Amino acid sequence: MPIVTSTEMFKKAYDGGYAIGAFNVNNMEIIQGITEAAKEVNSPLILQVSAGARKYAKHVYLMKLIEAAEEDTGLPICVHLDHGENFEICKSCIDGGFTSVMIDGSKHPFEENVAITAEVVKYAHDHGVVVEGELGRLAGIEDAVNVRPEDSSYTRPEEVEEFVARTGVDSLAIAIGTSHGAYKFKPGQKPQLRFDILEEVAKRLPGFPIVLHGASSVIPEYVDIINKNGGAMPDAIGVPEPMLRKAAQMAVCKINIDSDLRLAMTAGVRQTLMNSPAEFDPRKYLITGRDNIRELVKNKIVNVLGSDNKA
Ligand code: G3H
Ligand code: 13P
Ligand code: ZN
């Protein structure tokens, strides 16, 4: 099975009431952990690469590693640019073999977002590549994405039909209260998502795949392991898994997960090094991180996304 677009995956996910996991990848161990898990439970996958990941590992290394994973597992894998901020990076990823790109025009006013997104869609579709756009702004801080809570905003459902019609995007990321990173809700705050917005968007765009960013659950066990092994993470709260399951049963076909992978990897590395302070073979501590990622992703696929046995 070659590297594929997400078109077929989304169609089946929408009709079947489940979602495809879009996992951020930065190195070989992360790619192996995710794809080995997906293989075990026979799930389709989206592997996504941010500008920061391309800078860290180089486009060509990540592309070749993903091709190797595809050859190794035989799974349908879509390779996606996460949070492309302009036409140039989208073009570079399309020319470099990605099958899907996100143009994140969400920081721009509506008309500018439409213009930049439509330009990317034209180039992408001419090259057989699909495009994710975004309306509304998530809060949160990661390498390339840095939005203060006061600058975030929910998606306005009354804008979505016009945006999709004028841009031609294949999927749409919306903001309903999730955010990027490990600190999504304040300690003591009850996590809440605006399912009413998702419902209204779905009503206005029947059959159209919706994307949820900032969807890590921030697994407490991993934060605990990190803090018991020399770490000092403040209270971290993510999106409860039942909310993600509910979104997956609605119009959400793609659920983005990065922070949980980071926590799983870091917990494994910290635990091994604390238990074996004389260890200096990277294979001995990276393997624990990779094992954690495999378990995490298997659990996500089977218990949250519902994409097992759908490859
Ligand atoms: O949403 C952003 C992703 O989690 C990627 O983060 O830019 O730090 O690689 P990054
Ligand atoms: P998390 O930080 O919740 O993992 O979100 C990742 C994401 O949205 C990547 O685009
Ligand atoms: Zn994101």
Side-chain angles (χ1 to χ4, degrees):
M1 165 94 50
I3 303 287
V4 296
T5 72
S6 50
T7 308
E8 203 55 32
M9 292 182 192
F10 287 167
K11 209 176 291 158
K12 288 189 193 160
Y14 195 100
D15 293 342
Y18 62 93
I20 311 294
F23 299 97
N24 284 75
V25 297
N26 294 277
N27 67 16
M28 184 185 77
E29 285 76 11
I30 296 173
I31 291 171
Q32 288 177 332
I34 298 165
T35 54
E36 286 167 10
K39 173 77 185 164
E40 275 185 50
V41 294
N42 193 29
S43 170
L45 268 184
I46 298 172
L47 296 182
Q48 54 187 15
V49 173
S50 69
R54 285 176 96 231
K55 196 166 158 206
Y56 172 75
K58 286 195 185 167
H59 181 99
V60 66
Y61 282 81
L62 292 172
M63 194 64 217
K64 300 278 179 200
L65 284 167
I66 294 171
E67 281 167 3
E70 183 277 320
E71 194 180 318
D72 188 39
T73 61
L75 289 174
I77 298 177
C78 164
V79 190
H80 174 77
L81 167 67
D82 192 25
H83 292 285
E85 73 162 347
N86 53 38
F87 177 81
E88 286 68 35
I89 188 169
C90 293
K91 178 178 184 304
S92 166
C93 289
I94 292 164
D95 296 346
F98 283 22
T99 48
S100 174
V101 294
M102 175 190 193
I103 173 70
D104 182 356
S106 62
K107 67 175 177 224
H108 300 297
F110 185 81
E111 283 301 323
E112 250 175 83
N113 190 356
V114 167
I116 179 180
T117 305
E119 188 190 8
V120 170
V121 168
K122 167 90 184 75
Y123 189 80
H125 285 182
D126 283 350
H127 292 78
V129 169
V130 294
V131 180
E132 172 186 329
E134 177 161 341
L135 270 179
R137 278 195 97 186
L138 274 70
I141 300 182
E142 276 170 339
D143 245 17
V145 192
N146 185 343
V147 183
R148 293 176 307 176
E150 58 271 32
D151 295 328
S152 66
S153 55
Y154 293 117
T155 302
R156 293 157 49 89
E158 59 275 25
E159 290 182 348
V160 299
E161 293 138 293
E162 185 184 344
F163 185 80
V164 169
R166 286 178 62 194
T167 59
V169 283
D170 304 279
S171 62
L172 182 68
I174 62 169
I176 60 169
T178 62
S179 61
H180 289 109
Y183 308 101
K184 300 185 190 302
F185 300 98
K186 295 196 178 70
Q189 187 187 2
K190 194 164 164 261
Q192 261 172 345
L193 298 185
R194 291 287 305 272
F195 281 102
D196 58 317
I197 295 180
L198 173 56
E199 226 163 83
E200 183 59 29
V201 168
K203 214 180 289 166
R204 288 167 182 264
L205 296 174
F208 192 82
I210 300 302
V211 178
L212 207 56
H213 282 247
S216 280
S217 293
V218 188
I219 313 290
E221 286 80 359
Y222 288 131
V223 178
D224 234 44
I225 293 173
I226 290 170
N227 285 342
K228 284 191 176 123
N229 288 281
M233 286 186 67
D235 282 347
I237 302 170
V239 184
E241 288 184 345
M243 289 188 188
L244 297 171
R245 275 200 294 275
K246 180 171 167 181
Q249 283 158 3
M250 297 168 72
V252 170
C253 295
K254 172 174 180 273
I255 291 192
N256 285 12
I257 296 164
D258 188 1
S259 297
D260 278 336
L261 299 169
R262 296 177 181 198
L263 291 168
M265 171 62 78
T266 303
V269 173
R270 272 195 179 278
Q271 199 168 30
T272 308
L273 290 177
M274 288 297 275
N275 288 342
S276 313
E279 187 56 70
F280 67 99
D281 180 345
R283 293 173 298 185
K284 297 278 165 50
Y285 50 84
L286 291 176
I287 197 174
T288 330
R290 186 175 65 187
D291 287 349
N292 280 358
I293 286 184
R294 193 188 301 112
E295 285 317 299
L296 170 86
V297 171
K298 235 190 305 174
N299 182 55
K300 294 271 181 203
I301 289 173
V302 175
N303 297 320
V304 182
L305 302 159
S307 65
D308 49 316
N309 294 315
K310 304 292 194 305

